[in-house]
Amino acid sequence: MIDKIAVMNEARARHRADRDTEVRNQAELLFEKYKDDPLFVAGVMLYWAEGTRISKSSTNRKYQLALTNSNPELLEVYCNFLRKYFGDIELNLRMALYIYQDIDELSTKSFWSARLRVPLDQFIKTQILPSRAVLTKNKLSHGICCLYLNGKDYCLRMETWIKNISDYMRG
């Protein structure tokens, strides 16, 4: 019985490794196709600069691309990039807000939902932060928005694109 389980686990691991290789190979082809497209370059660079780091720890790995910012225009560009180069992502998109106590949660959600074309039911729990009034005069009227795209294939593709764009841009 234990031998059968070990054989099945090995087969699953080989299947996953083959799938990962296939996704990376497809990402290589897409990179060659889009490497001179300004939106493609902007999206990869935005994630490379501002996105969450993809954990290398196999025990604690999250397959999630997350970009957090308070600038609506920046997040709009990133959303356009995701939609164009990752395909049908709408059901895998999630958004989270970080707002201060003096900001209305519903109007802020409505703002980001309309701006980024993500339905309200795809927001996860909003984090309410203490007021920063004593620290700064700048008020983030729409809070801070974090856009999440969940999926291993997306992460593998982005890893490949970041490596390739780094090589391409450095010559």
Side-chain angles (χ1 to χ4, degrees):
M1 178 73 162
I2 293 175
D3 289 341
K4 287 182 183 180
I5 293 172
V7 169
M8 288 173 53
N9 285 341
E10 287 176 21
R12 267 195 297 270
R14 277 193 308 277
H15 176 73
R16 276 194 310 267
D18 290 346
R19 173 72 182 144
D20 292 353
T21 299
E22 180 183 332
V23 169
R24 286 187 173 101
N25 289 340
Q26 289 173 350
E28 295 278 351
L29 295 172
L30 290 170
F31 180 81
E32 287 303 316
K33 182 177 180 179
Y34 296 121
K35 68 184 178 187
D36 295 318
D37 182 327
L39 180 60
F40 179 79
V41 173
V44 174
M45 298 292 284
L46 277 173
Y47 185 79
W48 188 16
E50 294 287 325
T52 56
R53 299 295 162 246
I54 299 169
S55 169
K56 298 294 182 192
S57 165
S58 60
T59 58
N60 199 19
R61 184 153 184 164
K62 283 187 182 180
Y63 292 109
Q64 180 179 79
L65 300 177
L67 186 77
T68 304
N69 208 284
S70 61
N71 186 308
E73 291 82 12
L74 182 144
L75 287 171
E76 258 183 303
V77 168
Y78 185 66
C79 265
N80 290 341
F81 160 78
L82 292 175
R83 287 183 171 108
K84 182 172 181 180
Y85 300 103
F86 283 99
D88 187 19
I89 59 163
E90 299 306 321
L91 296 177
N92 294 320
L93 278 177
R94 296 290 178 269
M95 288 176 41
L97 295 179
Y98 300 88
I99 61 174
Y100 298 107
Q101 294 169 338
D102 57 342
I103 296 176
D104 180 66
E105 181 179 2
L106 183 56
S107 66
T108 304
K109 278 185 177 180
S110 296
F111 170 83
W112 287 107
S113 175
R115 194 73 189 251
L116 302 180
R117 300 184 327 269
V118 176
L120 288 170
D121 65 353
Q122 289 180 223
F123 279 76
I124 60 176
K125 185 176 178 179
T126 299
Q127 300 295 313
I128 310 291
L129 307 170
S131 176
R132 290 182 46 159
V134 296
L135 300 174
T136 182
K137 292 180 184 179
N138 297 336
K139 181 179 176 186
L140 300 173
S141 57
H142 302 293
I144 301 165
C145 181
C146 185
L147 186 65
Y148 299 94
L149 180 60
N150 297 310
K152 183 177 183 181
D153 288 0
Y154 301 133
C155 291
L156 293 175
R157 200 180 306 177
M158 184 64 84
E159 284 178 341
T160 302
W161 290 345
I162 288 170
K163 182 195 175 309
N164 287 356
I165 210 155
S166 171
D167 294 345
Y168 182 63
M169 294 292 184
R170 289 183 293 117

